[in-house]
């Protein structure tokens, strides 16, 4: 690989292959690794530097984090905290970035969490709670689990009484997350080999948050984001059902509901959401845009003309309306009208020449004899228009 320029995506994929090789070695030689930690980490770094001589410090350190988690995950000595400290020291001395301890603390905390060592896990994770929603939720989970142990000490205490100190801390952590709104699943340390334990924890605390704070929409929002990332349709549906009862007038929630209806080919349901949005937000152009998009997918002229008229009345940017006109002609296989639309669009909006060139290529594929090319062209058209319209509507809001 020396001298070879690779994109981050390619480097990431190749690093994962090397990581899998080391993971297999660790699983087969757990005792040997534990007994010779400096030798193992030295061998790992030698292989990493030989295979990736020009790797960035970020990828370098993230690779060490991943291998550290695997060493801890495979070891029978995880309950020996002196052993855990030795692993940390061996990993830290090899890392390059100034904040090298963050990644190590996160992977160690996650492994201790997986091993139900909530007290020690909390020590490693709590100061990073706002870096990622999943870390913050994991912190709340540790506090909640420790609260259950508070009550186990005294069987006379009933769980329906006032929450204990640790449960109050868990609630406070969740409320703080709802206030700060950290991103979800943006840390590479969360890409552990088996994320099921972290997912289970995340959903348990999200639904507890919904129960404890029924008027706080963040738990629905972050849950929907995670469901999308993890492609968890079951949880997405469950959250939308809850949201439809509690936040039926919220724009963010209704938008998610609209796209969920589209994904499930429920045109009538999507139309119902659009009508509700238009009533709820009469001065906002986004509901009208969503209506245009729906009518485009239905390819029904009377529905399209109805939303087009509404868009014109409400001051939708002319470029958006013309793009929808072009798209409607393409989806209805009217080649002559579509090509004329592109010419008109080019004449009226010459500063979008870069986009017009792309539209011509897409339009040409619409009338291909190759079905695969036609399908790809349809997807490219819808995706590009959505991106374009979202940017234009953002400008309109400012």
């Amino acid at each position: 690989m020396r001298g070879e320029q690779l994109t981050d995506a390619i480097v990431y994929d190749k690093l994962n292959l090397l990581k899998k090789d080391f993971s297999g070695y660790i699983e087969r030689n757990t005792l040997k690794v534990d007994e010779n930690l400096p030798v193992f980490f030295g061998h790992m770094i030698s292989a990493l530097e030989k295979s990736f001589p020009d790797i960035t410090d970020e990828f370098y350190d993230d690779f060490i984090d991943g291998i550290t988690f695997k060493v801890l995950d495979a070891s029978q000595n995880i309950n020996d905290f002196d052993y855990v400290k030795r692993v940390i020291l061996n990993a830290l001395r090899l890392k390059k970035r100034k904040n090298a301890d963050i990644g190590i603390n996160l992977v160690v905390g996650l492994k201790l969490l997986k091993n139900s060592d909530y007290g020690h896990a909390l020590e490693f994770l709590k100061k990073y709670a706002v870096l990622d929603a999943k870390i913050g939720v994991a912190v709340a989970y540790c506090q909640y689990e420790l609260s259950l142990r508070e009550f186990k000490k005294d069987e006379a205490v009933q769980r329906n009484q006032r929450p204990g100190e640790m449960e109050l801390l868990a609630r406070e952590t969740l409320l703080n997350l709802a206030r700060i709104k950290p991103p979800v699943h943006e840390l590479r340390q969360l890409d552990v080999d088996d994320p099921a334990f972290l997912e289970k924890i995340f959903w348990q605390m999200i639904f507890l948050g919904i129960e404890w704070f029924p008027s706080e929409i963040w738990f629905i929002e972050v849950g929907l984001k995670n469901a999308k990332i993890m492609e968890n349709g079951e949880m997405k549906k469950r959250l939308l059902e809850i949201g439809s009862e509690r936040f039926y007038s919220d724009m963010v929630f209704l938008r998610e509901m609209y796209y969920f209806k589209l994904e499930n080919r429920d045109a009538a349901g999507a139309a119902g959401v659009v009508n509700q949005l238009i009533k709820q937000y009469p001065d906002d152009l986004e509901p009208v845009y969503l209506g245009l998009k729906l009518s485009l997918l239905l390819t029904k002229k009377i529905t399209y003309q109805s939303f087009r008229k509404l868009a014109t009345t409400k001051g939708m940017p002319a470029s958006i309306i013309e793009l929808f006109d072009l798209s409607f002609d393409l989806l209805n296989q009217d080649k002559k009208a579509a090509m004329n639309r592109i010419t008109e669009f080019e004449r009226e909006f010459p500063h979008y020449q870069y986009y017009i060139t792309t539209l011509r290529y897409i339009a040409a594929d619409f009338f291909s004899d190759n079905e695969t090319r036609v399908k790809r062209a349809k997807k490219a058209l819808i995706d590009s228009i959505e991106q374009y319209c979202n940017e234009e509507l953002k400008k309109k809001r400012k």
Side-chain angles (χ1 to χ4, degrees):
M1 284 183 57
R2 191 172 297 277
E4 183 182 359
Q5 296 297 314
L6 301 175
T7 66
D8 281 354
I10 294 175
V11 170
Y12 189 69
D13 288 342
K14 288 182 176 292
L15 278 171
N16 272 337
L17 290 176
L18 183 61
K19 181 181 175 182
K20 286 181 180 178
D21 288 343
F22 270 101
S23 294
Y25 175 83
I26 294 166
E27 289 173 357
R28 296 188 301 271
N29 301 276
T30 304
L31 293 177
K32 186 177 179 181
V33 170
D34 284 353
E35 291 170 359
N36 301 279
L37 287 172
V39 174
F40 169 76
F41 275 98
H43 174 64
M44 176 197 69
I45 290 300
S46 177
L48 179 62
E49 293 178 342
K50 182 178 180 180
S51 300
F52 301 89
D54 301 317
I55 193 175
T56 65
D57 290 353
E58 181 181 13
F59 277 125
Y60 186 97
D61 283 3
D62 287 343
F63 185 85
I64 295 174
D65 290 342
I67 296 300
T68 301
F69 184 89
K70 187 62 185 179
V71 169
L72 292 167
D73 198 37
S75 177
Q76 299 297 314
N77 298 314
I78 188 63
N79 293 319
D80 179 354
F81 208 64
D82 287 335
Y83 162 79
V84 174
K85 289 178 181 177
R86 289 199 302 275
V87 174
I88 293 172
L89 288 173
N90 277 279
L92 277 178
R93 66 185 175 84
L94 299 172
K95 298 188 76 174
K96 293 185 176 182
R97 289 182 292 178
K98 291 181 180 179
N99 59 350
D101 61 321
I102 295 178
I104 292 297
N105 286 340
L106 286 173
V107 297
V108 171
L110 288 174
K111 173 51 196 170
L112 292 170
L113 172 61
K114 185 178 180 181
N115 203 51
S116 302
D117 186 351
Y118 305 119
H120 284 123
L122 193 56
E123 292 177 20
F124 283 95
L125 297 175
K126 62 184 177 182
K127 59 182 175 181
Y128 308 115
V130 298
L131 291 183
D132 189 286
K134 284 195 174 180
I135 296 297
V137 167
V139 168
Y141 178 80
C142 289
Q143 293 165 333
Y144 180 67
E145 284 295 322
L146 291 172
S147 79
L148 299 180
R149 294 180 182 181
E150 284 180 343
F151 288 98
K152 285 179 181 178
K153 291 177 183 177
D154 185 354
E155 296 296 335
V157 178
Q158 299 297 317
R159 286 295 290 133
N160 61 356
Q161 291 185 356
R162 183 179 182 276
E165 181 181 350
M166 293 306 295
E167 182 174 321
L168 290 174
L169 284 174
R171 294 183 183 222
E172 183 180 337
T173 297
L174 289 179
L175 272 180
N176 193 45
L177 292 173
R179 179 179 61 83
I180 296 174
K181 296 177 171 55
V184 61
H185 208 97
E186 289 204 354
L187 297 173
R188 285 205 186 100
Q189 288 81 8
L190 298 177
D191 294 324
V192 294
D193 292 336
D194 178 17
F197 80 97
L198 196 56
E199 282 299 292
K200 184 178 179 181
I201 287 167
F202 177 83
W203 290 116
Q204 180 178 336
M205 296 311 295
I206 288 299
F207 286 110
L208 263 182
I210 291 171
E211 178 187 329
W212 287 340
F213 312 109
S215 63
E216 180 53 69
I217 196 172
W218 180 80
F219 299 105
I220 299 286
E221 292 174 347
V222 76
L224 287 171
K225 288 177 183 176
N226 185 58
K228 184 176 182 180
I229 292 169
M230 303 306 291
E231 299 180 347
N232 190 332
E234 181 182 346
M235 284 301 181
K236 186 173 184 179
K237 181 180 179 182
R238 189 173 167 187
L239 288 169
L240 287 171
E241 287 172 352
I242 295 171
S244 64
E245 296 177 0
R246 302 185 188 183
F247 309 106
Y248 54 85
S249 63
D250 181 84
M251 171 69 89
V252 174
F253 168 74
L254 287 172
R255 185 189 298 122
E256 288 291 338
M257 179 66 84
Y258 168 84
Y259 282 105
F260 180 75
K261 298 291 186 184
L262 285 187
E263 288 170 13
N264 289 274
R265 302 181 182 278
D266 181 2
V273 174
V274 170
N275 289 332
Q276 186 174 345
L277 276 166
I278 290 173
K279 291 176 183 177
Q280 198 75 37
Y281 301 94
D283 299 323
D284 198 311
L285 287 175
E286 184 177 357
V288 183
Y289 157 71
L290 294 177
L292 280 170
K293 182 176 179 179
L294 176 62
S295 63
L296 198 66
L297 297 174
L298 295 173
T299 62
K300 290 183 178 179
K301 191 168 185 178
I302 188 170
T303 306
Y304 177 71
Q305 290 299 333
S306 175
F307 277 110
R308 189 188 189 283
K309 183 178 179 181
L310 184 61
T312 303
T313 303
K314 289 185 174 290
M316 182 76 76
S319 60
I320 290 180
I321 294 175
E322 292 202 21
L323 276 176
F324 271 102
D325 286 343
L326 163 62
S327 301
F328 192 80
D329 288 335
L330 284 173
L331 289 167
N332 281 281
Q333 293 290 300
D334 191 338
K335 185 175 182 178
K336 183 178 179 181
M339 293 309 178
N340 287 338
R341 296 278 190 197
I342 293 178
T343 301
E344 291 172 12
F345 189 84
E346 184 175 24
R347 186 184 302 115
E348 190 169 349
F349 307 101
H351 51 294
Y352 290 133
Q353 186 62 52
Y354 64 93
Y355 188 34
I356 294 162
T357 302
T358 302
L359 287 173
R360 288 191 184 280
Y361 278 105
I362 292 174
D365 279 355
F366 256 85
F367 304 101
S368 168
D369 294 330
N370 187 318
E371 288 187 16
T372 301
R373 287 180 66 182
V374 174
K375 287 181 181 179
R376 288 176 179 171
K378 287 181 179 179
K379 186 178 187 309
L381 177 70
I382 298 298
D383 289 349
S384 69
I385 286 181
E386 182 159 359
Q387 292 169 19
Y388 174 86
C389 292
N390 284 338
E391 289 301 316
E392 289 300 301
L393 290 177
K394 281 180 187 176
K395 295 176 187 175
K396 192 76 173 174
R397 293 187 194 107
K398 291 179 181 178

